[in-house]
Amino acid sequence: MFGRARRCLRLLAPSHRVYTRQEGRDFTVLAVESSADDTCAAIVTSDRQILSNVVVRQDSFHAPYGGIHPYVAIEAHQLNMPGAVQQALAEANMAVTGVDGIAFTRGPGIGGCLSVGSNAAKTLAAALNKPLVGVHHMQAHALTPFLTTPLESLPEYPFLTLLVSGGHTLLLLATTPTTFHTLATALDESIGRAFDKVSRMLKLQWSALGPGAALEQFCLETPDPDADAGEAIPDIPRPMPGRLAFSYTGLHSTVERYLHSRGGTVGAPTRLALARAFQEAAVGQLEDKLALGLEQCRRQGVDIRHVVVSGGVASNAFLRERLRMCLDAASSDVPISLMFPPPSLCTDNAVMIAWASMDRFLAGDTDAYSVALRVKWPIEELAMSASPPGTANDQQSK
């Protein structure tokens, strides 16, 4: 009995060697991502080539609920994951046996959703006897520009990274690929969630990218010159001035109270004015906190020359324009580079998971097949768990 148990333990941690470029080809990673409401699979090489990028969106499943329904999301991931992996392999024109490593989103995220990607990745890795790496979702967002930016323009450490999505609003100081210090985080809800709520309150038609993108598109509409000017709208707050923290509950609550006082229905000009005022206040808060973060770094002698912005909300064109103006005002003498992934890689995707895993694969620092999920995973803990180059993490058999 004990011999059988030992054999089972060995199955959880395959022996493998550190991969080197001298072997004649690049290391290829198949990655899956299922932390929230998109089912994703991708294949990326160590030579910065994206061989495939499959994103199966779940908007049609969640629209009747007005947002992400966890159980619906889990069922959709289970439905879509096999096809996403199959499509990623087909687009890359390769067999699964040609993959060198398997990566997945370990956390943070919705537990049941994470488990779908985790189980898929662990099963593939075990069946193929391939190494496995679990990736921190927010680290992956922060490192995406190292894949998508020309080599001569890569971010230089230390840099600030602003991670803005439906689940997170974070301002981080990055000093290495695994060392992040949180300067500001949301005390209540994320900017992405606030965008989604206000979009639904205004009864906007969801775009292909969801309610937040629908609000952005609505704000670009030209008012009817012959229409009534609409009602006076309330001031949308920009909370906690001078404090490095985010808060978005007050913004959507202001819109909600105003609409409730009018029976939930307002004219088109008023709806447009509300949407624009909300977007300006929401992005304005990012400007305020980014300026504070830069000032704090300056006081501590940290020279910041790059700011990386990623996450689903980073695809917002108004946000991109305003943050550029913010950085120009904060450092008029020496320009600060503002970097975004392509819009298709701002929202959740498996390309970023594959790329964030690459250094660990190449160093032989991999996870056991029994590695646990991290539904809540402070990004600072990455530095504590990072292994020195050339060593293996967790269990490995000899």
Side-chain angles (χ1 to χ4, degrees), residues 15-317:
S15 176
H16 61 87
R17 53 195 166 81
V18 176
Y19 184 89
T20 63
R21 288 292 296 272
Q22 286 71 28
E23 293 179 359
R25 63 183 180 85
D26 298 305
F27 195 91
T28 302
V29 174
L30 167 63
V32 295
E33 145 64 24
S34 62
S35 61
D37 61 337
D38 291 333
T39 309
C40 311
I43 298 177
V44 176
T45 74
S46 57
D47 197 34
R48 303 174 84 232
Q49 298 299 310
I50 300 172
L51 302 185
S52 61
N53 177 27
V54 176
V55 178
V56 183
R57 296 193 60 85
Q58 297 184 10
D59 294 331
S60 61
F61 292 94
H62 298 290
Y65 300 95
I68 300 176
H69 189 297
Y71 293 113
V72 172
I74 293 168
E75 290 184 358
H77 285 310
Q78 291 171 336
L79 176 69
N80 293 325
M81 185 60 73
V85 171
Q86 185 180 50
Q87 185 179 343
L89 289 165
E91 290 183 3
N93 193 28
M94 65 185 302
V96 69
T97 51
V99 171
D100 298 305
I102 309 293
F104 70 100
T105 304
R106 186 181 174 193
I110 301 171
C113 295
L114 288 169
S115 68
V116 177
S118 170
N119 291 339
K122 291 176 181 179
T123 301
L124 281 170
L128 298 168
N129 195 32
K130 301 290 185 180
L132 179 76
V133 166
V135 173
H136 192 292
H137 184 85
M138 305 315 293
Q139 178 201 27
H141 273 304
L143 298 182
T144 301
F146 288 92
L147 172 65
T148 60
T149 305
L151 289 174
E152 64 274 12
S153 305
L154 294 178
E156 297 177 3
Y157 294 99
F159 63 83
L160 290 184
T161 179
L162 191 59
L163 305 179
V164 285
S165 68
H168 301 274
T169 310
L170 289 168
L171 178 61
L172 305 172
L173 172 64
T175 54
T176 77
T178 58
T179 308
F180 298 85
H181 176 66
T182 301
L183 301 183
T185 188
L187 302 181
D188 37 52
E189 68 182 12
S190 69
I191 183 174
R193 184 176 295 273
F195 261 90
D196 291 351
K197 287 182 177 180
V198 172
S199 179
R200 291 193 294 270
M201 290 175 196
L202 295 176
K203 302 176 181 178
L204 301 180
Q205 184 68 39
W206 287 24
S207 74
L209 297 178
L215 189 143
E216 178 191 1
Q217 290 300 313
F218 180 62
C219 289
L220 295 175
E221 291 189 5
T222 302
D224 183 351
D226 298 324
D228 185 273
E231 303 178 58
I233 61 170
D235 291 331
I236 310 294
R238 285 164 68 158
M240 299 180 295
R243 180 180 172 186
L244 267 173
F246 298 102
S247 175
Y248 282 95
T249 298
L251 280 69
H252 92 250
S253 295
T254 300
V255 176
E256 185 175 37
R257 287 193 301 269
Y258 178 83
L259 292 173
H260 180 74
S261 69
R262 283 151 180 79
T265 302
V266 294
T270 303
R271 287 173 72 231
L272 182 58
L274 278 171
R276 288 178 170 177
F278 166 79
Q279 180 174 247
E280 184 169 352
V283 173
Q285 187 177 165
L286 297 182
E287 297 176 68
D288 295 343
K289 308 311 180 183
L290 178 57
L292 285 172
L294 287 168
E295 179 58 31
Q296 177 171 303
C297 290
R298 193 175 295 117
R299 289 198 305 268
Q300 296 176 353
V302 180
D303 185 32
I304 300 297
R305 297 272 64 92
H306 294 84
V307 172
V308 171
V309 187
S310 56
V313 184
S315 59
N316 183 296

